């Protein structure tokens, strides 16, 4: 049993915690936060029972006043874990890293953290092996995570030379009410860093990207154009996507008219938080013409990076040697395994 | 066991079905729809196992082609039920009523249906007894449902003379993507029908209302100003709301900064669909000054009418004679009982 | 000729400048800002020709590099003016006040500034006379400005005892893209400060208010409920509003379905910036019942405070003794006079 | 003097009318509509003085009751014109065409009309000559209009082989309040018709396009990737865009952070309706890499097609033989000529 802690119990952290708790070969030792924000309150009210540690000892009374039982401090938790997944806001991870080092604890960090925090940029479907010897592992952002999965699937099947993406970025998560815009589309300078990131994890690739931020909350939507090493038919690409790991296809004709329809469908399925771990591809947007392949996919930004965080633990802790073996194990426990 | 069917398996119908399925003294015989829309597909994929009937016999092949096992027609289901909850789009209920009459089946109808469909306008916390002898029962809309609950609680405690409401109406449910506005606030003519409805179910009350439609999806937010028969202190009103049935209070200070925070919290709790059956009242918006009482409440428009639909079945089918007995029974099975 | 300067050339400041420039008994000496932001660039490109002064001497090169001819520093302008309208971001006005005092220059400040900046809270239709002897005058916010106009009109006609408002607040101006929410309604604690402000400028009034922030950009929409000293008919109230100064009525039936329709109509009229100085009242929302009067009005937040800023100059500089004389003069030059 | 009429006085029609009125070699004979909607009311209130004709004789009393002086019927106007610009809602143009034919009047139709209405698809910068002999001319949609201008400019300078666009489509004009989505991104099937249209007006080009609809109102934003026939440097492309006709460049660094900032800047300039006839290109999004050229442009959907409508009149009426001669003439009168 690999012992894992989660530091930063916000939108990403709470989902990593649930994901780790489902891994039968990992033990979720506890979660750390610094205030009784809503995710922490929900954790208590839901009865999930993860031990809560407080990252700032002088805030323990605040948390207890809010009815949150506090098991101890960050240091207390670090004494009991092999590795942590750090999902704190950008900039905090860099400070936490020193504390982790002091305790000899390994860690993953999220895409918002500075590159300097890690010698590698990790996305398991592309470069699982890289994390085997690295104690502090930075993952790519949610957008890049989804792109990597889809592009790796196509690359392994047909060979990819170049990828050009336009990210239509949801400006905020649902309850990030202080973030706009309300009625504007915001272009980013070209190239967007997501393109650079894609090339860092898939260095044989030529990649370029646009980003435009829009007033939506239920998922980034990305248009993809890749140049293949061979001509294929649309149906070949569809087969790859339908079978691809951590990829889920939807049909507009079935009623999946928007990213919000996917979200709502997951609500109807009864999936916790209506979370989706997979990147979603609309089948009617997949089109192959000669060596050009086009598609549109949806990035459920709150949940998509969870599997890769768990994979990083598997890689570093030596739980699985083989990439797909690790990925399949994670996915089986998460309930998204495609046999 | 009272046998219940649900006709119209959309946003409201699928939630009524789940609610009825939880009532241990009711049997959900089946649900009816006319096409394999997303809620029907989710029903199949989720494995909930409710029998599906098809409202239009010539559409059965469409549903079966989509992988939906069809048990039979609307007529087939009506042969097996005592009562249906009709949650079809406005206008359809009126046509269905004739079919229900032919089968001797009683029914509830939702607030969007024409008043002529029923001799009464029903909201159980206000006028449970009215439904005992009425075969076709029209419920008030979601906004009025929430207002009635809060006003009844205050009225029973202190006596209410007059109520003035401003409904800040969410323009669409999350996946109703064809509805706007995108960037506008739309005033309704004064008075809004919700005020009239409040007086119809609480005839001793003087009521008036404004409605303004805005580009949000996660709940109507209503400001309330009631004139009481006596002077009270704010704390008295808070006590009433905290204990009031189907009312849930939230504190802005705890992080419930908006209606979307409530929605997100329910996601974190792991509640199916993040649904809330209660009307939500923000505690810091409750203020009593002499005989004036002010507050703001949130109407989770997708789920709030579910309990009252079930109550209507209880009333008409004679399952409970006493109003609060019926309400408590419904709530116990729904898991929202306040002891 | 009263010599006026404008400090802070953003959304409000640029509109005050245009308004002052139209007053034939005032001279717009210049405008002050600290960077070549878009309003300053537009001033240059438009050829309006107002002299630009730079509030931070070391930023002059930045402005000149952007093609903005700089006449001098803030101090330079203050030597030439009798009074300034300060429309800087909240908090800056307090610092500027010391500079104005040093130069013996009087000033208006906007509603976002701290109350301590001025011994009075000013809104000309309610308390014009108060500003006659006060060198530093704080105006009420845009919401209160509009409420004061409408309530004063009704008060002078019928007598008002109490007013209850629900402000459906536009969360951001069109290009304030960093502000949200995107999909949420945010309740404020009760009472909102706008109610307190209304009582401060109309002290004989009992006032209370709610505020809910929503994702729109084209105007605050406010529902009003006032208790009169006498019974009236709806038509009486409509007459008062149709004739009321700085009030403009619209009919939903004519196509003014939302606040954005008003904005768009002003675009079609060819009005500069599609600005409206008046508070807009939808006629079909005006309803009198006994002593209760209800209506909904729209606050064009970018422009509504301009006339009152100019009035404040008139009051303090002794340009007109009589309130309505001053208001009519301002309005004539602005082109919104109702004879 | 070529005599021109405008049929359909909505968002596009009112702008065509203003544009035609500015052409000193054209006479705006009148405008036609069927109801006193807001644009017609604004026409009257603004004092522009264009004669109004009523498309449905039995609606004349409605228009007159709204204070709109009616000069006559559609037939009356058609007797006096050489050509009309038809800007009626999709589907109406096809019916109107028969009436135009009866009167021997030529016409332009907008991009929403069916292709069958015209033997050609017109966009003057690409295929001006085509319209010389065609009586009924269909223009491309606003998105394609902007793309054609930018791609033609690049094509004439460097040669273009292929173009791939992602259109981030504003879902509605500001006052189209019934249209959504509120919080969703809606992918279109691939390819989008805009790609097909681009190839129809530039047949030597290989083009492909994505479209995603989002909740904004102030302009479509499009990412472009074109493959050139030669390698260029970014600065070369910038030069082409800066000098390109009906193209306007903006710098993010100057404060043009979004499409709404462009709109707001035009308001500040005092431009009527804040309309922009040019396609807007953000300079920091222009990037050349070898033979690949990338950029993002903004389509002000309300106004961008006006110049091309006027060009079509010039072509068909033989006013100018040469394409750029015609375009420059239109632009001079519109005030957007680049010398």
């Amino acid at each position: 049993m690999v012992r894992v802690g989660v530091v930063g119990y916000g939108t990403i952290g709470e989902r990593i915690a649930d994901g780790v708790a489902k891994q039968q070969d990992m033990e979720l030792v506890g979660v750390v936060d610094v205030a009784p924000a809503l995710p922490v309150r929900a954790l208590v009210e839901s009865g999930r029972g993860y031990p809560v540690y407080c990252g700032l000892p002088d805030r323990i009374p605040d948390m207890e006043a809010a009815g949150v039982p506090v098991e101890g401090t960050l240091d207390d938790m670090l004494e009991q874990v092999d590795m942590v997944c750090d999902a704190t806001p950008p900039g905090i991870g860099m400070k936490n890293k020193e504390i982790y080092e002091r305790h000899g604890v390994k860690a993953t960090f999220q895409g918002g953290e500075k590159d300097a925090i890690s010698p590698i940029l990790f996305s398991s479907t592309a470069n699982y092996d890289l994390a085997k010897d690295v104690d502090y592992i930075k993952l790519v952002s949610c957008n890049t995570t989804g792109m990597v999965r889809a592009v790796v699937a196509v690359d392994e099947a047909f060979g990819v030379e170049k990828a050009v993406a336009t990210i239509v970025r949801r400006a905020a998560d649902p309850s990030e009410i202080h973030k706009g815009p309300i009625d504007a589309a915001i272009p980013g300078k070209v190239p967007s860093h997501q393109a650079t990131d894609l090339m860092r994890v898939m260095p044989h690739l030529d990649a370029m990207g646009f980003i435009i931020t829009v007033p939506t909350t239920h998922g980034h939507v990305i248009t993809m154009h890749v140049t293949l090493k061979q001509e294929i038919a649309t149906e070949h690409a569809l087969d790859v996507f339908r079978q691809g790991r951590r990829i889920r296809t939807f049909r507009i004709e079935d009623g999946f008219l928007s990213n919000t329809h996917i979200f709502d469908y997951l609500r109807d399925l009864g999936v916790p938080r209506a979370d989706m771990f997979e990147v979603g591809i609309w089948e009617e947007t997949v089109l192959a013409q000669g060596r050009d392949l086009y598609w549109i996919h949806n990035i459920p930004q709150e949940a998509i990076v969870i599997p890769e965080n768990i994979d990083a633990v598997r890689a570093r802790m030596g739980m699985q040697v083989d990439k797909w073996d690790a990925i399949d194990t994670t996915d089986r426990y998460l309930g998204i395994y495609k046999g």
Side-chain angles (χ1 to χ4, degrees), chain A:
Chain A
M1 286 293 253
V2 169
R3 299 165 305 160
V4 180
V6 172
V7 180
Y9 195 75
T11 298
I12 299 299
E14 62 181 349
R15 286 165 171 84
I16 296 178
D18 287 353
V20 168
K22 286 183 177 169
Q23 306 294 310
Q24 293 182 16
D25 50 1
M26 296 185 186
E27 179 196 352
L28 177 67
V29 174
V31 303
V32 180
D33 212 294
V34 297
L38 291 188
V40 174
R41 290 174 187 269
L43 170 58
V44 175
E45 185 175 341
S46 72
R48 278 182 183 83
Y50 310 151
V52 177
Y53 294 82
C54 188
L56 297 173
D58 58 339
R59 298 282 184 82
I60 293 177
D62 286 356
M63 295 186 82
E64 292 183 334
V68 181
V70 178
E71 294 285 324
T73 64
L74 170 59
D75 286 305
D76 294 336
M77 191 191 77
L78 292 176
E79 283 304 302
Q80 307 168 57
V81 299
D82 301 303
M83 194 159 177
V84 301
C85 296
D86 184 299
T88 54
I92 307 293
M94 191 66 93
K95 295 174 190 162
N96 285 347
K97 184 184 170 184
E98 294 175 27
I99 306 173
Y100 304 152
E101 287 176 323
R102 208 184 312 140
H103 286 271
V105 168
K106 299 154 190 66
T108 67
F109 298 96
Q110 308 310 310
E113 204 56 56
K114 288 234 172 70
D115 281 349
I117 206 165
S118 171
I120 65 167
L121 192 59
F122 178 80
S123 199
S124 46
T125 54
N127 60 12
Y128 179 81
D129 292 348
L130 276 192
K132 289 178 177 171
D133 306 312
V134 175
D135 286 350
Y136 301 100
I137 302 163
K138 180 180 158 174
L139 281 86
V140 298
S141 70
C142 56
N143 275 308
T144 311
T145 300
M147 278 193 283
V148 167
R149 291 182 192 166
V151 173
V152 163
V154 172
D155 190 36
E156 298 200 348
F158 313 116
V160 171
E161 287 183 355
K162 174 164 179 163
V164 181
T166 292
I167 301 171
V168 180
R169 182 177 169 267
R170 72 85 192 89
D173 288 340
S175 60
E176 290 182 314
I177 59 172
H178 297 299
K179 291 191 185 172
I182 287 171
D183 181 5
I186 308 170
K189 296 181 183 180
V190 175
S192 83
H193 79 85
Q194 280 84 356
T196 315
D197 288 357
L198 188 60
M199 282 190 286
R200 284 190 58 199
V201 295
M202 301 182 74
H204 62 289
L205 209 72
D206 184 14
M208 174 59 54
F210 299 97
I211 190 160
I212 295 175
T213 301
V214 300
T216 59
T217 73
H218 296 303
H220 309 288
V221 175
I222 304 182
T223 70
M224 296 293 298
H225 169 209
V226 303
T227 312
L228 303 174
K229 290 182 177 158
Q230 54 180 286
E231 299 198 358
I232 64 164
T234 298
E235 198 54 40
H236 298 148
L238 282 170
D239 284 347
V240 166
F241 289 144
R242 287 180 188 135
Q243 294 163 22
R245 284 171 175 93
R246 296 177 185 170
I247 296 173
R248 191 162 170 177
T249 64
F250 296 94
R251 284 164 41 87
I252 296 172
E253 291 291 339
D254 287 349
F256 294 98
L257 305 179
S258 74
N259 55 355
T260 304
H261 285 80
I262 295 176
F263 176 76
D264 238 23
Y265 184 76
L266 289 157
R267 293 175 70 199
D268 282 350
L269 282 183
V271 171
R273 289 191 190 95
D275 276 347
M276 186 165 83
F277 298 117
E278 297 98 331
V279 61
I281 296 180
W282 282 279
E283 297 201 351
E284 292 96 331
T285 68
V286 179
L287 180 68
Q289 285 191 332
R291 290 169 49 216
D292 291 300
L293 177 61
Y294 305 89
W295 75 85
I296 302 180
H297 64 232
N298 182 53
I299 303 287
Q301 78 276 352
E302 299 167 305
I304 197 169
V305 300
I306 308 313
E308 273 77 355
N309 268 276
I310 295 169
D311 294 343
V313 174
R314 298 192 172 283
R316 181 62 193 91
M317 300 305 297
M319 299 172 76
Q320 282 82 23
V321 173
D322 177 68
K323 174 172 84 168
W324 294 117
D325 189 12
I327 289 173
D328 287 350
T329 306
T330 300
D331 288 358
R332 263 194 206 93
Y333 292 136
L334 288 177
I336 59 168
Y337 175 65
K338 281 184 181 178

